[in-house]
Amino acid sequence: MQINVSTSEETEAILAKLQSRFSVTSKNILMRIALAYSLTRGRKLSLSKPEDTKGNPYKEITIVGNYRSYYIALICQFYDIYKTDSDIPKYFKLHIDDGLRLLEKLFSESSNYNLSDFLLEHIERGIDSLEQAVSSNEPILFDERIRHTKVSNKGYFEGALKMLIGKNLKDESPIYATLNDTNLHNNAHIAVAGNSGTGKTQFALEILRQFVEVSSGSVNFIYLDFKGLKKDDVAALTPFFENTQTTFIDAPQVPFPLNPMSFIDTVNEKNKIMGINKLVDIITNYSNIGKNQQQTLRDATKDVFQGLKNGEYPSFKDIYDRVLEMEGSKASTLKEILESLSELDLFETKNDAKKSIFNQNYYLSLSGDLPNAIRFTSVFLIINYIYNNFMNMENAPVNDKLQAIRYVLLIDEAHVIFKDRKAQDLLEKILREIRSKGVSVVLLSQGIEEFNQPSFDFSSLCETAFLMDIKDKTNLKMMSKFLGLGEKDNTILARNMEAIQKGQAVSNLKGFKKAELFEVGQFWKSL
C-alpha cells in the first residue's frame, strides 16, 4: 500500500500561497504540518464525500519521507483501524486537505502570526499535555494472547442470594433480602453508614458470612480495613475468620499475596504503556512528588519492564534500584516512597499463576502506623488490581432474573479512602461497571455526607442502603437522599432516627417499610 495523495484544486492553491508567504522550500513540510494539525482538532472525517483530486499528485516519499510508520500510526490510532487498512491513503488526503484549509484560515486572520510562532506554540502545548497527562480510570483489557494465562475466569453462584438482614422490632419477624434479584435490585451494592460502636462492623461481618454460607462458598470476598486491627481486635474476630475460612493479612507483617503490577499487559505495547502510566499515577497521587520525579518513575518502570522476560513482573525494589541508578543516592520523596514500598514487603513479588486470590477470602488490615502515603498507595493498588482483573473476566450471567455473583469487595472507612476527586471518579466507575461481572461492593462509612459528593451521589449507585446511628441526625434532607426516600417518608424517618439504638437501622430495603426501624443482623449472634 502506497501513501500517494492528490490534493484538491483548492488546497493546492493554499499550498502555493503558504509556501510563498513563509518562504518554505518544499511543500512536503506544509503537508505534514497540515496533517498533524487536522488530527489535533479531533474531528473524524467522512470517506463518503466525493474526492477532489484536481490538484497535484504527490508520491509517498514526499508525503511521509522516512517516517511512514509514524504517520500511519497516527491515522490508525485516530480511526482505530489496522495498519494494512486500504482506506489509510484516503484518510491522509482528507486530513491534509482539511489541515491546509484550517491553516489558511488561521494565518489569513492573523497577519503578524508566522509559521515559527505556530510551531513553537503547538509543540509547547503538546509537551505540556504529555507532562500533565494522567492515566484514566479505564480498566486495562489484556491482549487476547495472554488473557487466558493472566485472568482466571472465576466461577459464580447462580442461585438466589436470600439473606437474613435482621428482624422486625414489633413482632421479631425475620427480614430477608435477595440482593441479586434483578426484579427488585439493579445491583447488589450496599452502603452502610453509622458511627463507631453502632454495630456497623458486626453487621458487615454477618453480611459477608451469609454471602459465603448461602452460596456454599462459591462467593468469595476481601475486607479492606484501612485503619488496621489491634491485637485485641484480631482475637475478637478469630471466630469470624474460622467460620468463613478467611485468611487474615496483617500488613506489613505479612505481605498481601499479589503483585500489584501484574495487571500490566506485557504483550500489547500500547496497553503496557497505559498500565505503567496508571501505576505511576496511583503512586504519585498520594506521594506529592513533582513532575520531574514522576517522569523519572515512569522511565524507571519502563526500563525495568523492558529487561524482563515475557510473563515476569518486577518488584518495587527493582524499580527503586533503577531510580537509584538514574538519580544517585541524593534524598528525594520518590526514593523515600519506593524504599518504603520495597522494604516493607507489602506485596509478594512473584505470583503463582495457578493460585488466584479471588478463590479465597481475605481480611486485609493495613497498619495505622504506616505512613499515609504508603497506606493510600497500597489500598489503591489493590483496588485497581481487583477492578482490572474482574473487568477482564466474562460477564456473570443473569438467569431467571437472578444476577450471578462471584465476589464481594468490602471497603471499610470509605469516607477516608474516597475523599479526593480522582478516587471518587474511580469508585464511580467501579460501582457502574463491575456489577455486570458479578461483584458486589459494600461501602462502610461513619457518616453520609461522604456519599453525597457535589459531582455525584454514590449512595444512588448502591441499590441497598442501611443508615445506623450517625452524628448529624438533624440533616433530614441528606439522610433522605442517602436512602433514596421521598418527602412523604421524611416524618417517619426523622422520628425513627431520634429513637435509634445500637444495632438498629433504617433502610430502603424492598419488601420492608421504608424508614422503619429494625434490628440488623450481628455476626456475634450467629455463633
Side-chain angles (χ1 to χ4, degrees), residues 248-317:
F248 172 62
I249 303 289
D250 186 16
Q253 306 303 319
V254 179
F256 197 65
L258 63 82
N259 184 333
M261 284 178 270
S262 62
F263 78 89
I264 297 174
D265 189 338
T266 56
V267 172
N268 184 294
E269 193 65 26
K270 178 183 175 182
N271 283 353
K272 181 195 290 187
I273 293 172
M274 289 173 60
I276 289 173
N277 286 343
K278 178 173 281 194
L279 176 73
V280 170
D281 193 40
I282 292 172
I283 294 173
T284 57
N285 196 39
Y286 296 102
S287 58
N288 295 318
I289 65 174
K291 290 183 180 179
N292 290 337
Q293 288 190 318
Q294 185 174 349
Q295 188 60 47
T296 298
L297 175 58
R298 183 178 289 107
D299 292 341
T301 306
K302 287 180 181 178
D303 288 349
V304 170
F305 266 89
Q306 195 67 30
L308 296 174
K309 296 179 181 178
N310 191 30
E312 292 182 341
Y313 288 92
S315 66
F316 282 111
K317 187 178 186 308

Side-chain angles (χ1 to χ4, degrees), residues 140 142 150 255-265 275-276 278-280 282-283 301 305 313-317 319 341 345-351 357 374 377-389:
I140 308 298
F142 299 131
K150 289 177 62 66
F256 197 65
L258 63 82
N259 184 333
M261 284 178 270
S262 62
F263 78 89
I264 297 174
D265 189 338
I276 289 173
K278 178 173 281 194
L279 176 73
V280 170
I282 292 172
I283 294 173
T301 306
F305 266 89
Y313 288 92
S315 66
F316 282 111
K317 187 178 186 308
I319 298 175
L341 287 169
D345 289 329
L346 289 166
F347 304 102
E348 287 189 1
T349 57
K350 294 184 178 180
N351 282 350
I357 68 163
I374 300 299
T377 299
S378 299
V379 76
F380 275 102
L381 286 170
I382 293 169
I383 290 172
N384 179 70
Y385 177 89
I386 292 171
Y387 172 52
N388 270 276
N389 271 269

Side-chain angles (χ1 to χ4, degrees), residues 11-27:
T11 53
E12 183 61 32
I14 293 173
L15 260 178
K17 180 179 177 181
L18 293 176
Q19 184 182 20
S20 174
R21 173 174 172 176
F22 298 121
S23 301
V24 177
T25 56
S26 178
K27 292 180 180 178

Side-chain angles (χ1 to χ4, degrees), residues 167-183:
K167 62 182 181 180
N168 197 316
L169 291 177
K170 296 178 180 178
D171 57 11
E172 296 193 348
S173 58
I175 301 171
Y176 291 95
T178 305
L179 298 178
N180 64 332
D181 184 347
T182 60
N183 280 319

Side-chain angles (χ1 to χ4, degrees), residues 200-201 223-227 410-414 417 442 444:
K200 177 182 63 192
T201 300
Y223 190 124
L224 291 180
D225 186 346
F226 189 69
K227 62 184 181 298
L410 189 148
I411 303 174
D412 204 349
E413 300 290 303
I417 297 175
V442 180
L444 307 184

